[in-house]
Structure formats: C-alpha cells, structure tokens
Coordinates of all heavy atoms in Angstrom, one line a residue:
M8 N 119.1 17.8 92.6 CA 118.7 19.2 93.1 C 119.5 19.5 94.4 O 119.9 20.6 94.6 CB 117.3 19.3 93.3 CG 116.8 20.6 93.8 SD 115.0 20.8 93.8 CE 114.9 22.1 94.9
T9 N 119.6 18.6 95.3 CA 120.3 18.9 96.6 C 121.8 19.3 96.3 O 122.3 20.0 97.1 CB 120.2 17.7 97.6 OG1 120.7 16.5 97.0 CG2 118.7 17.5 98.0
Q10 N 122.4 18.7 95.3 CA 123.8 19.1 95.0 C 123.9 20.5 94.7 O 124.9 21.2 95.0 CB 124.3 18.2 93.9 CG 124.5 16.8 94.2 CD 125.0 15.9 93.0 OE1 124.9 16.3 91.9 NE2 125.4 14.7 93.4
E11 N 122.9 21.1 94.1 CA 122.9 22.5 93.7 C 122.9 23.4 94.9 O 123.4 24.6 94.9 CB 121.7 22.9 92.8 CG 121.8 22.1 91.4 CD 120.5 22.3 90.7 OE1 119.6 23.0 91.2 OE2 120.4 21.7 89.6
I12 N 122.2 23.0 96.0 CA 122.1 23.8 97.2 C 122.9 23.3 98.4 O 122.7 23.7 99.5 CB 120.6 24.0 97.6 CG1 120.0 22.7 97.9 CG2 119.9 24.8 96.5 CD1 118.6 22.8 98.5
E13 N 123.8 22.3 98.1 CA 124.5 21.7 99.2 C 125.3 22.7 100.0 O 125.2 22.5 101.3 CB 125.5 20.6 98.6 CG 126.2 19.8 99.7 CD 126.9 18.6 99.1 OE1 126.9 18.4 97.9 OE2 127.6 17.9 99.9
P14 N 126.0 23.6 99.5 CA 126.7 24.6 100.4 C 125.7 25.4 101.3 O 126.1 25.5 102.5 CB 127.4 25.5 99.4 CG 127.5 24.8 98.2 CD 126.3 23.9 98.1
Q15 N 124.6 25.8 100.8 CA 123.7 26.5 101.6 C 123.0 25.6 102.6 O 122.8 26.0 103.8 CB 122.6 27.1 100.7 CG 123.0 28.2 99.8 CD 123.6 27.6 98.4 OE1 123.7 26.5 98.2 NE2 123.7 28.6 97.5
L16 N 122.7 24.4 102.3 CA 122.1 23.4 103.2 C 123.1 23.1 104.3 O 122.7 23.0 105.5 CB 121.7 22.1 102.4 CG 121.0 21.1 103.3 CD1 119.7 21.6 103.9 CD2 120.7 19.8 102.4
N17 N 124.4 22.9 104.0 CA 125.4 22.6 105.0 C 125.6 23.8 106.0 O 125.7 23.6 107.2 CB 126.7 22.2 104.4 CG 126.7 20.9 103.7 OD1 125.9 20.0 104.1 ND2 127.5 20.6 102.8
A18 N 125.5 25.0 105.4 CA 125.6 26.2 106.3 C 124.4 26.3 107.2 O 124.5 26.6 108.4 CB 125.7 27.5 105.4
F19 N 123.2 26.0 106.7 CA 122.0 26.0 107.5 C 122.1 25.0 108.6 O 121.8 25.2 109.8 CB 120.8 25.7 106.6 CG 119.5 25.5 107.5 CD1 118.8 26.6 108.0 CD2 119.1 24.2 107.7 CE1 117.7 26.4 108.8 CE2 118.0 24.0 108.5 CZ 117.3 25.1 109.0
L20 N 122.5 23.7 108.2 CA 122.6 22.7 109.2 C 123.6 23.0 110.3 O 123.4 22.6 111.5 CB 122.9 21.3 108.5 CG 121.7 20.8 107.7 CD1 122.2 19.5 107.0 CD2 120.5 20.5 108.6
K21 N 124.7 23.5 109.9 CA 125.7 23.9 110.9 C 125.2 24.9 111.9 O 125.4 24.7 113.1 CB 127.0 24.6 110.2 CG 128.1 24.9 111.1 CD 129.3 25.5 110.3 CE 130.3 25.9 111.3 NZ 131.4 26.6 110.6
G22 N 124.5 25.9 111.5 CA 123.9 26.8 112.4 C 122.8 26.2 113.2 O 122.7 26.5 114.4
F23 N 122.0 25.4 112.6 CA 120.9 24.8 113.2 C 121.3 23.8 114.4 O 120.9 23.9 115.5 CB 120.0 23.9 112.2 CG 118.8 23.3 112.8 CD1 117.6 24.1 113.0 CD2 118.8 22.0 113.2 CE1 116.5 23.5 113.6 CE2 117.7 21.4 113.7 CZ 116.5 22.1 113.9
Y24 N 122.3 23.0 114.0 CA 122.9 22.1 115.0 C 123.7 22.8 116.1 O 123.9 22.3 117.2 CB 123.7 21.0 114.4 CG 122.9 20.0 113.6 CD1 123.3 19.5 112.4 CD2 121.7 19.5 114.0 CE1 122.5 18.6 111.6 CE2 120.9 18.6 113.3 CZ 121.3 18.2 112.1 OH 120.5 17.3 111.4
Y25 N 124.1 24.0 115.8 CA 124.8 24.8 116.8 C 123.8 25.2 117.9 O 124.1 25.2 119.1 CB 125.5 26.0 116.2 CG 126.1 27.0 117.2 CD1 127.3 26.7 117.7 CD2 125.4 28.2 117.5 CE1 127.9 27.5 118.7 CE2 126.0 29.0 118.5 CZ 127.3 28.7 119.0 OH 127.8 29.5 119.9
L26 N 122.6 25.6 117.4 CA 121.6 26.0 118.3 C 120.9 24.8 119.0 O 120.5 24.9 120.2 CB 120.5 26.8 117.6 CG 121.0 28.2 117.1 CD1 120.0 28.8 116.2 CD2 121.5 29.1 118.2
I27 N 120.6 23.8 118.2 CA 119.9 22.6 118.8 C 120.8 21.4 118.4 O 120.7 20.9 117.2 CB 118.5 22.5 118.2 CG1 117.7 23.8 118.4 CG2 117.8 21.3 118.7 CD1 116.4 23.9 117.7
P28 N 121.5 20.8 119.3 CA 122.3 19.7 119.0 C 121.5 18.5 118.4 O 120.4 18.3 118.9 CB 123.0 19.3 120.3 CG 122.9 20.6 121.1 CD 121.7 21.3 120.7
S29 N 122.1 17.8 117.4 CA 121.3 16.7 116.8 C 120.8 15.7 117.8 O 119.8 15.1 117.6 CB 122.1 16.1 115.7 OG 123.3 15.6 116.2
S30 N 121.6 15.4 118.8 CA 121.2 14.4 119.8 C 120.0 14.9 120.6 O 119.3 14.0 121.1 CB 122.4 14.1 120.8 OG 122.8 15.3 121.5
F31 N 119.8 16.1 120.7 CA 118.6 16.7 121.4 C 117.4 16.5 120.6 O 116.3 16.4 121.2 CB 118.9 18.2 121.8 CG 117.9 18.8 122.6 CD1 117.8 18.4 124.0 CD2 117.1 19.8 122.2 CE1 116.9 18.9 124.8 CE2 116.2 20.4 123.0 CZ 116.0 20.0 124.4
L32 N 117.5 16.5 119.3 CA 116.3 16.4 118.4 C 115.5 15.1 118.6 O 114.3 15.1 118.4 CB 116.7 16.5 116.9 CG 117.3 17.9 116.5 CD1 117.7 17.8 115.1 CD2 116.2 18.9 116.6
T33 N 116.1 14.1 119.1 CA 115.4 12.8 119.3 C 114.4 12.9 120.4 O 113.4 12.1 120.5 CB 116.4 11.6 119.7 OG1 117.1 12.0 120.8 CG2 117.3 11.4 118.5
Y34 N 114.5 13.9 121.3 CA 113.6 14.1 122.4 C 112.5 15.1 122.1 O 111.6 15.3 123.0 CB 114.4 14.6 123.7 CG 115.5 13.6 124.1 CD1 116.8 13.9 123.9 CD2 115.2 12.4 124.7 CE1 117.8 13.0 124.2 CE2 116.2 11.5 125.1 CZ 117.5 11.9 124.8 OH 118.5 11.0 125.2
L35 N 112.6 15.7 121.0 CA 111.6 16.7 120.6 C 110.5 16.2 119.6 O 110.8 15.4 118.8 CB 112.3 17.9 119.9 CG 113.2 18.7 120.7 CD1 113.9 19.8 119.8 CD2 112.5 19.4 121.9
T36 N 109.3 16.6 119.9 CA 108.2 16.4 118.9 C 108.3 17.5 117.9 O 108.9 18.5 118.1 CB 106.8 16.4 119.6 OG1 106.6 17.7 120.0 CG2 106.8 15.4 120.7
P37 N 107.7 17.3 116.7 CA 107.6 18.3 115.7 C 107.0 19.6 116.3 O 107.5 20.7 116.0 CB 106.8 17.7 114.6 CG 107.0 16.3 114.7 CD 107.1 16.0 116.2
S38 N 106.0 19.5 117.2 CA 105.4 20.6 117.7 C 106.4 21.4 118.7 O 106.4 22.6 118.6 CB 104.2 20.2 118.6 OG 103.5 21.3 119.2
D39 N 107.1 20.6 119.5 CA 108.1 21.2 120.3 C 109.2 22.0 119.5 O 109.5 23.1 119.9 CB 108.9 20.2 121.2 CG 108.0 19.5 122.2 OD1 107.0 20.2 122.6 OD2 108.3 18.4 122.6
L40 N 109.6 21.4 118.4 CA 110.6 22.0 117.6 C 110.0 23.3 117.0 O 110.7 24.3 116.9 CB 111.1 21.1 116.5 CG 112.2 21.6 115.6 CD1 113.4 22.0 116.4 CD2 112.5 20.5 114.6
G41 N 108.8 23.2 116.5 CA 108.1 24.4 116.0 C 108.1 25.5 116.9 O 108.3 26.7 116.6
I42 N 107.8 25.3 118.2 CA 107.7 26.3 119.2 C 109.1 26.9 119.5 O 109.2 28.1 119.6 CB 107.1 25.7 120.5 CG1 105.6 25.5 120.3 CG2 107.3 26.7 121.7 CD1 104.9 24.8 121.4
M43 N 110.1 26.0 119.5 CA 111.4 26.5 119.7 C 111.9 27.4 118.6 O 112.6 28.4 118.9 CB 112.4 25.4 119.8 CG 112.3 24.6 121.1 SD 113.5 23.3 121.3 CE 115.0 24.3 121.6
I44 N 111.5 27.1 117.4 CA 111.9 27.9 116.3 C 111.0 29.2 116.1 O 111.6 30.3 115.9 CB 111.9 27.1 114.9 CG1 112.9 26.0 115.0 CG2 112.1 28.0 113.7 CD1 112.8 25.0 113.9
S45 N 109.8 29.1 116.2 CA 108.9 30.2 115.9 C 108.2 30.8 117.0 O 107.5 31.8 116.9 CB 107.9 29.9 114.8 OG 107.0 28.9 115.2
G46 N 108.3 30.3 118.2 CA 107.6 30.8 119.4 C 106.3 30.2 119.7 O 105.8 29.4 118.9
S47 N 105.7 30.5 120.8 CA 104.5 29.9 121.3 C 103.3 30.5 120.7 O 103.2 31.7 120.5 CB 104.4 30.1 122.8 OG 103.2 29.6 123.3
P48 N 102.3 29.7 120.3 CA 101.1 30.2 119.6 C 100.1 30.7 120.7 O 99.2 31.4 120.3 CB 100.6 29.0 118.9 CG 101.0 27.8 119.6 CD 102.4 28.2 120.2
T49 N 100.3 30.4 121.9 CA 99.3 30.8 123.0 C 99.8 32.1 123.6 O 101.0 32.1 124.1 CB 99.2 29.7 124.0 OG1 98.7 28.5 123.4 CG2 98.1 30.1 125.1
I50 N 99.0 33.1 123.7 CA 99.4 34.4 124.2 C 98.7 34.5 125.6 O 97.5 34.4 125.7 CB 98.9 35.5 123.3 CG1 99.6 35.4 121.9 CG2 99.3 36.8 123.9 CD1 99.1 36.2 120.8
D51 N 99.5 34.7 126.6 CA 99.1 34.9 128.0 C 98.8 36.4 128.2 O 99.7 37.2 128.3 CB 100.2 34.4 128.9 CG 99.7 34.4 130.4 OD1 98.7 35.0 130.8 OD2 100.5 33.7 131.2
F52 N 97.5 36.7 128.4 CA 97.1 38.1 128.6 C 97.8 38.7 129.8 O 98.3 39.8 129.8 CB 95.6 38.2 128.7 CG 95.2 39.5 129.4 CD1 95.1 40.7 128.6 CD2 94.8 39.6 130.7 CE1 94.8 41.9 129.1 CE2 94.5 40.8 131.2 CZ 94.4 41.9 130.4
K53 N 97.8 37.9 130.9 CA 98.4 38.4 132.2 C 99.9 38.8 132.0 O 100.3 39.8 132.5 CB 98.2 37.4 133.3 CG 96.8 37.3 133.8 CD 96.6 36.2 134.9 CE 95.2 36.1 135.3 NZ 95.0 35.1 136.3
E54 N 100.6 37.8 131.3 CA 102.0 38.1 131.1 C 102.2 39.3 130.2 O 103.1 40.1 130.4 CB 102.7 36.9 130.4 CG 104.2 37.1 130.2 CD 104.8 35.9 129.6 OE1 104.1 34.9 129.2 OE2 106.1 35.9 129.5
M55 N 101.4 39.5 129.2 CA 101.4 40.6 128.3 C 101.3 41.9 129.1 O 102.0 42.9 128.9 CB 100.4 40.5 127.2 CG 100.4 41.7 126.2 SD 99.0 41.6 125.0 CE 99.7 40.7 123.6
K56 N 100.3 41.9 129.9 CA 100.0 43.1 130.7 C 101.1 43.4 131.7 O 101.6 44.6 131.8 CB 98.6 43.0 131.5 CG 98.3 44.2 132.3 CD 96.9 43.9 132.9 CE 96.5 45.1 133.7 NZ 95.3 44.9 134.5
Q57 N 101.6 42.4 132.4 CA 102.7 42.6 133.4 C 104.0 43.0 132.8 O 104.8 43.7 133.5 CB 102.9 41.2 134.1 CG 101.8 40.9 135.1 CD 102.0 39.5 135.7 OE1 102.7 38.7 135.2 NE2 101.4 39.2 136.8
T58 N 104.3 42.7 131.6 CA 105.6 43.0 131.0 C 105.5 44.3 130.1 O 106.5 44.6 129.5 CB 106.2 41.8 130.2 OG1 105.2 41.4 129.2 CG2 106.5 40.7 131.1
A59 N 104.3 44.8 129.9 CA 104.1 46.0 129.1 C 105.0 47.1 129.6 O 105.1 47.3 130.8 CB 102.7 46.4 129.0
Q60 N 105.6 47.9 128.7 CA 106.4 49.0 129.0 C 105.7 50.3 128.5 O 105.2 50.3 127.4 CB 107.8 48.9 128.4 CG 108.6 47.7 128.9 CD 109.9 47.5 128.2 OE1 110.3 48.3 127.4 NE2 110.7 46.5 128.6
Y61 N 105.8 51.3 129.3 CA 105.1 52.6 129.0 C 106.0 53.7 128.9 O 107.0 53.8 129.6 CB 104.1 52.9 130.1 CG 103.1 51.7 130.4 CD1 103.3 50.8 131.4 CD2 101.9 51.6 129.6 CE1 102.5 49.7 131.6 CE2 101.0 50.6 129.9 CZ 101.3 49.6 130.9 OH 100.5 48.6 131.1
E62 N 105.8 54.6 127.9 CA 106.5 55.8 127.7 C 105.5 56.9 127.6 O 104.6 56.9 126.8 CB 107.3 55.7 126.4 CG 108.5 54.7 126.4 CD 109.4 54.7 125.2 OE1 109.4 55.8 124.5 OE2 110.0 53.7 124.9
G63 N 105.7 57.9 128.4 CA 104.9 59.1 128.4 C 103.5 58.9 129.1 O 102.6 59.7 129.0
C64 N 103.4 57.7 129.8 CA 102.2 57.5 130.5 C 102.5 56.4 131.6 O 103.6 56.0 131.7 CB 101.0 57.0 129.6 SG 101.4 55.5 128.7
S65 N 101.5 56.0 132.4 CA 101.7 55.1 133.4 C 100.6 54.0 133.4 O 99.5 54.3 132.9 CB 101.7 55.8 134.8 OG 101.5 54.9 135.9
K66 N 100.9 52.8 134.0 CA 99.8 51.8 134.0 C 98.7 52.3 134.9 O 97.6 51.6 134.8 CB 100.4 50.5 134.5 CG 100.9 50.5 135.9 CD 101.5 49.1 136.2 CE 102.0 49.0 137.6 NZ 102.6 47.7 137.9
K67 N 98.9 53.3 135.6 CA 97.8 53.8 136.5 C 96.9 54.8 135.8 O 95.8 55.2 136.3 CB 98.4 54.5 137.8 CG 99.2 53.5 138.7 CD 99.8 54.2 139.8 CE 100.5 53.2 140.7 NZ 101.1 53.8 141.9
D68 N 97.3 55.3 134.6 CA 96.5 56.2 133.8 C 95.1 55.6 133.5 O 95.1 54.4 133.1 CB 97.2 56.7 132.6 CG 98.4 57.6 133.0 OD1 98.4 58.2 134.1 OD2 99.3 57.8 132.1
R69 N 94.1 56.3 133.5 CA 92.7 55.8 133.1 C 92.7 55.2 131.7 O 92.1 54.1 131.6 CB 91.7 57.0 133.3 CG 90.3 56.6 133.1 CD 89.3 57.6 133.3 NE 89.9 59.0 133.2 CZ 89.3 60.1 133.4 NH1 88.0 60.1 133.7 NH2 89.9 61.3 133.3
F70 N 93.3 55.8 130.7 CA 93.2 55.3 129.4 C 93.9 54.0 129.3 O 93.6 53.1 128.5 CB 93.5 56.3 128.3 CG 95.0 56.7 128.4 CD1 95.9 56.0 127.6 CD2 95.4 57.8 129.1 CE1 97.2 56.4 127.6 CE2 96.7 58.2 129.1 CZ 97.7 57.5 128.4
V71 N 95.0 53.8 130.1 CA 95.8 52.5 130.1 C 94.9 51.5 130.7 O 94.8 50.3 130.2 CB 97.1 52.7 130.8 CG1 97.8 51.4 130.9 CG2 98.0 53.7 130.0
K72 N 94.2 51.8 131.8 CA 93.4 50.8 132.4 C 92.3 50.4 131.5 O 91.9 49.2 131.4 CB 92.8 51.4 133.7 CG 93.8 51.5 134.8 CD 93.2 52.1 136.1 CE 94.2 52.2 137.1 NZ 93.6 52.8 138.4
W73 N 91.7 51.4 130.7 CA 90.6 51.1 129.8 C 91.1 50.1 128.6 O 90.5 49.2 128.3 CB 90.1 52.3 129.1 CG 89.3 53.2 130.0 CD1 88.6 52.9 131.2 CD2 89.0 54.6 129.8 NE1 88.0 54.0 131.7 CE2 88.2 55.0 130.9 CE3 89.3 55.5 128.8 CZ2 87.7 56.3 131.0 CZ3 88.8 56.8 128.9 CH2 88.1 57.2 130.0
F74 N 92.4 50.4 128.2 CA 93.0 49.6 127.2 C 93.1 48.2 127.6 O 92.6 47.2 126.9 CB 94.4 50.1 126.8 CG 95.2 49.2 125.9 CD1 95.0 49.2 124.6 CD2 96.1 48.4 126.5 CE1 95.7 48.4 123.7 CE2 96.8 47.5 125.6 CZ 96.6 47.6 124.3
W75 N 93.6 47.9 128.8 CA 93.7 46.6 129.3 C 92.3 45.9 129.5 O 92.2 44.7 129.4 CB 94.6 46.5 130.5 CG 96.0 46.8 130.2 CD1 96.8 47.8 130.6 CD2 96.9 46.0 129.3 NE1 98.1 47.7 130.0 CE2 98.1 46.6 129.2 CE3 96.7 44.8 128.5 CZ2 99.2 46.1 128.4 CZ3 97.7 44.3 127.8 CH2 98.9 45.0 127.7
E76 N 91.4 46.7 130.0 CA 90.0 46.1 130.1 C 89.5 45.6 128.7 O 88.9 44.5 128.7 CB 89.0 47.1 130.6 CG 89.2 47.4 132.1 CD 88.2 48.5 132.6 OE1 87.2 48.7 132.0 OE2 88.6 49.2 133.6
I77 N 89.7 46.3 127.7 CA 89.3 45.9 126.4 C 90.1 44.7 125.9 O 89.5 43.7 125.5 CB 89.5 47.1 125.4 CG1 88.5 48.2 125.7 CG2 89.3 46.6 123.9 CD1 88.7 49.5 125.0
V78 N 91.4 44.7 126.1 CA 92.3 43.6 125.6 C 92.0 42.3 126.4 O 92.1 41.2 125.8 CB 93.8 44.0 125.7 CG1 94.7 42.8 125.4 CG2 94.1 45.2 124.8
K79 N 91.6 42.5 127.6 CA 91.3 41.3 128.5 C 90.2 40.5 127.8 O 90.1 39.2 128.0 CB 90.9 41.7 129.9 CG 90.7 40.6 130.9 CD 90.4 41.0 132.2 CE 90.3 39.9 133.2 NZ 90.1 40.3 134.6
A80 N 89.3 41.1 127.1 CA 88.2 40.4 126.5 C 88.5 39.8 125.1 O 87.7 39.0 124.6 CB 87.0 41.4 126.3
F81 N 89.7 40.0 124.7 CA 90.2 39.4 123.4 C 90.3 37.9 123.4 O 90.8 37.3 124.4 CB 91.5 40.0 123.0 CG 91.5 41.4 122.4 CD1 90.3 42.2 122.5 CD2 92.6 42.0 121.8 CE1 90.4 43.5 122.0 CE2 92.7 43.3 121.4 CZ 91.5 44.0 121.4
N82 N 90.0 37.3 122.3 CA 90.3 35.9 122.1 C 91.7 35.8 121.6 O 92.4 36.8 121.4 CB 89.3 35.2 121.2 CG 89.2 35.8 119.8 OD1 90.3 36.2 119.3 ND2 88.0 35.8 119.2
Q83 N 92.2 34.5 121.4 CA 93.6 34.3 121.0 C 93.9 34.9 119.6 O 94.9 35.5 119.4 CB 93.9 32.8 121.0 CG 94.2 32.2 122.3 CD 95.4 32.8 123.0 OE1 96.5 32.8 122.5 NE2 95.2 33.3 124.2
E84 N 92.9 34.9 118.7 CA 93.1 35.5 117.4 C 93.3 37.0 117.5 O 94.1 37.6 116.8 CB 91.9 35.1 116.5 CG 92.1 35.6 115.1 CD 91.0 35.1 114.2 OE1 90.3 34.2 114.5 OE2 90.8 35.8 113.2
E85 N 92.5 37.6 118.3 CA 92.6 39.1 118.5 C 93.9 39.4 119.2 O 94.5 40.5 118.9 CB 91.3 39.6 119.2 CG 90.1 39.5 118.5 CD 88.8 39.6 119.2 OE1 88.8 39.2 120.4 OE2 87.8 40.2 118.7
L86 N 94.3 38.6 120.2 CA 95.5 38.9 120.9 C 96.7 38.8 119.9 O 97.6 39.6 119.9 CB 95.7 37.9 122.0 CG 94.9 38.2 123.3 CD1 95.1 37.0 124.3 CD2 95.3 39.5 124.0
A87 N 96.6 37.8 119.0 CA 97.7 37.6 118.0 C 97.7 38.8 117.1 O 98.8 39.3 116.7 CB 97.4 36.3 117.2
S88 N 96.6 39.4 116.7 CA 96.5 40.6 115.9 C 97.1 41.7 116.5 O 97.9 42.5 115.9 CB 95.1 40.9 115.4 OG 94.5 39.9 114.6
L89 N 96.8 41.9 117.8 CA 97.4 43.0 118.6 C 98.9 42.8 118.7 O 99.7 43.8 118.5 CB 96.8 43.1 120.0 CG 97.4 44.1 121.0 CD1 97.2 45.5 120.4 CD2 96.8 44.0 122.4
L90 N 99.3 41.6 119.0 CA 100.8 41.3 119.2 C 101.5 41.6 117.8 O 102.6 42.2 117.8 CB 101.0 39.8 119.6 CG 102.4 39.4 119.8 CD1 103.1 40.3 120.9 CD2 102.5 38.0 120.2
F91 N 100.8 41.2 116.7 CA 101.4 41.5 115.4 C 101.6 43.0 115.2 O 102.6 43.5 114.6 CB 100.6 40.9 114.3 CG 101.2 41.1 112.9 CD1 102.3 40.3 112.5 CD2 100.7 42.0 112.0 CE1 102.9 40.5 111.3 CE2 101.3 42.2 110.8 CZ 102.4 41.5 110.4
F92 N 100.6 43.8 115.6 CA 100.6 45.2 115.4 C 101.7 45.9 116.2 O 102.4 46.8 115.7 CB 99.2 45.8 115.9 CG 99.2 47.3 115.9 CD1 99.1 48.0 114.7 CD2 99.2 48.0 117.1 CE1 99.1 49.4 114.7 CE2 99.2 49.4 117.1 CZ 99.1 50.1 115.9
I93 N 102.0 45.3 117.4 CA 103.0 46.0 118.3 C 104.4 45.4 118.0 O 105.4 46.1 118.4 CB 102.6 45.9 119.8 CG1 102.5 44.5 120.3 CG2 101.4 46.8 120.0 CD1 102.2 44.4 121.7
S94 N 104.5 44.2 117.5 CA 105.8 43.5 117.4 C 106.2 43.0 116.1 O 107.4 42.7 115.8 CB 105.9 42.4 118.5 OG 105.1 41.3 118.0
G95 N 105.2 42.9 115.2 CA 105.5 42.3 113.9 C 105.5 40.8 113.9 O 105.8 40.1 112.9
S96 N 105.0 40.1 114.9 CA 104.9 38.7 115.1 C 103.7 38.3 115.7 O 103.2 39.0 116.6 CB 106.1 38.1 115.9 OG 106.0 36.7 116.0
V97 N 103.0 37.2 115.3 CA 101.8 36.7 115.9 C 102.1 35.7 117.0 O 101.2 35.2 117.7 CB 100.8 36.1 114.9 CG1 100.4 37.1 113.9 CG2 101.4 34.9 114.2
K98 N 103.3 35.4 117.3 CA 103.7 34.5 118.3 C 104.7 35.1 119.2 O 105.5 35.9 118.8 CB 104.3 33.2 117.7 CG 103.3 32.4 116.8 CD 104.0 31.1 116.3 CE 103.0 30.4 115.5 NZ 103.7 29.2 115.0
I99 N 104.6 34.7 120.5 CA 105.6 35.2 121.5 C 106.8 34.3 121.4 O 106.8 33.1 121.1 CB 105.0 35.3 122.9 CG1 104.6 33.9 123.4 CG2 103.9 36.2 123.0 CD1 104.2 33.8 124.9
P100 N 108.0 34.9 121.7 CA 109.2 34.2 121.6 C 109.4 33.2 122.8 O 108.6 33.3 123.8 CB 110.3 35.2 121.7 CG 109.7 36.4 122.4 CD 108.2 36.3 122.0
I101 N 110.2 32.2 122.7 CA 110.5 31.3 123.8 C 110.9 32.1 125.0 O 111.7 33.1 124.8 CB 111.6 30.3 123.4 CG1 111.0 29.2 122.6 CG2 112.3 29.8 124.6 CD1 111.8 28.0 122.4
G102 N 110.4 31.8 126.1 CA 110.8 32.5 127.3 C 109.7 33.6 127.6 O 109.8 34.3 128.6
G103 N 108.8 33.8 126.7 CA 107.7 34.8 126.9 C 108.1 36.2 126.5 O 108.9 36.4 125.7
F104 N 107.3 37.1 127.1 CA 107.5 38.6 126.8 C 108.7 39.3 127.4 O 109.0 40.3 127.0 CB 106.2 39.3 127.2 CG 105.0 39.0 126.4 CD1 104.0 38.2 126.8 CD2 104.9 39.6 125.1 CE1 102.9 37.9 126.1 CE2 103.8 39.3 124.4 CZ 102.8 38.5 124.9
K105 N 109.3 38.7 128.3 CA 110.4 39.3 129.1 C 111.6 39.7 128.3 O 112.0 39.2 127.3 CB 110.8 38.4 130.2 CG 109.7 38.2 131.2 CD 110.0 37.1 132.2 CE 108.8 37.0 133.1 NZ 108.3 35.7 133.3

C-alpha cells in the first residue's frame, strides 16, 4: 500500500522536514509536536482580550465591556466555541493570538 502513495508521502515528508528538521524531532514529545502542528488547546482569556481588534467600536464602549465580562466567565470549552465562531479553529496558533 505504501508504494501506491509513495510520491505523496515523500512530498509530505519533504515539506514536514523542511518545517521541522528530523534531528529536532528527537527532542519533542508527541504532545509538543501536536501543539506545533495544530496549536495550543489552552485559551488565555487575557491574551484574547488584549489582542482583540475592533472595527466601528472601541474597547471603551459599554457593550464591549459587557461582552468581555461575559466571556471572562467562560470555561475552556466555551472559549474554544467562541474562538471557533470567530476564527474557524478551536485552538490558538503557536505564538498566540498576535
């Protein structure tokens, strides 16, 4: 079966090793590699609030303050749902929201 997909697998590995050299993989746990590939599963509310960008309103507006008061009470699952709604992903990328 691997012979049937060998060209695709080689192309994938070439790109993968370009981003993460094979010698570096020995220092990573599966969890570390997962975070590097798909982002962090933990959402930092403070970072989310600090890096939010506003159009047509300001962080000083009353309804924006209400929004953040509500979001501050969210658990990780609810934060992930909000993040999915605004970004299409339930995880933040490496490097955070910046």
Side-chain angles (χ1 to χ4, degrees):
M8 179 174 163
T9 56
Q10 291 175 346
E11 296 169 0
I12 60 167
E13 188 173 356
Q15 294 88 347
L16 183 58
N17 287 336
F19 170 81
L20 289 173
K21 180 179 178 184
F23 184 81
Y24 291 138
Y25 175 78
L26 295 173
I27 304 171
S29 59
S30 60
F31 189 66
L32 290 175
T33 58
Y34 302 105
L35 295 176
T36 65
S38 178
D39 292 336
L40 183 59
I42 289 171
M43 288 183 75
I44 292 172
S45 64
S47 175
T49 304
I50 301 168
D51 183 347
F52 164 79
K53 289 179 183 178
E54 183 182 5
M55 180 186 265
K56 183 178 177 184
Q57 288 173 339
T58 58
Q60 298 177 0
Y61 304 95
E62 290 184 26
C64 61
S65 163
K66 65 181 178 181
K67 296 178 182 181
D68 290 340
R69 184 174 21 179
F70 66 89
V71 173
K72 290 179 181 181
W73 290 342
F74 171 80
W75 288 116
E76 284 179 29
I77 293 167
V78 174
K79 186 177 184 178
F81 282 9
N82 61 33
Q83 283 295 306
E84 184 178 338
E85 292 166 325
L86 285 172
S88 294
L89 175 62
L90 185 60
F91 183 76
F92 176 74
I93 61 175
S94 72
S96 175
V97 295
K98 295 182 179 179
I99 59 170
I101 278 191
F104 288 103
K105 298 173 179 122

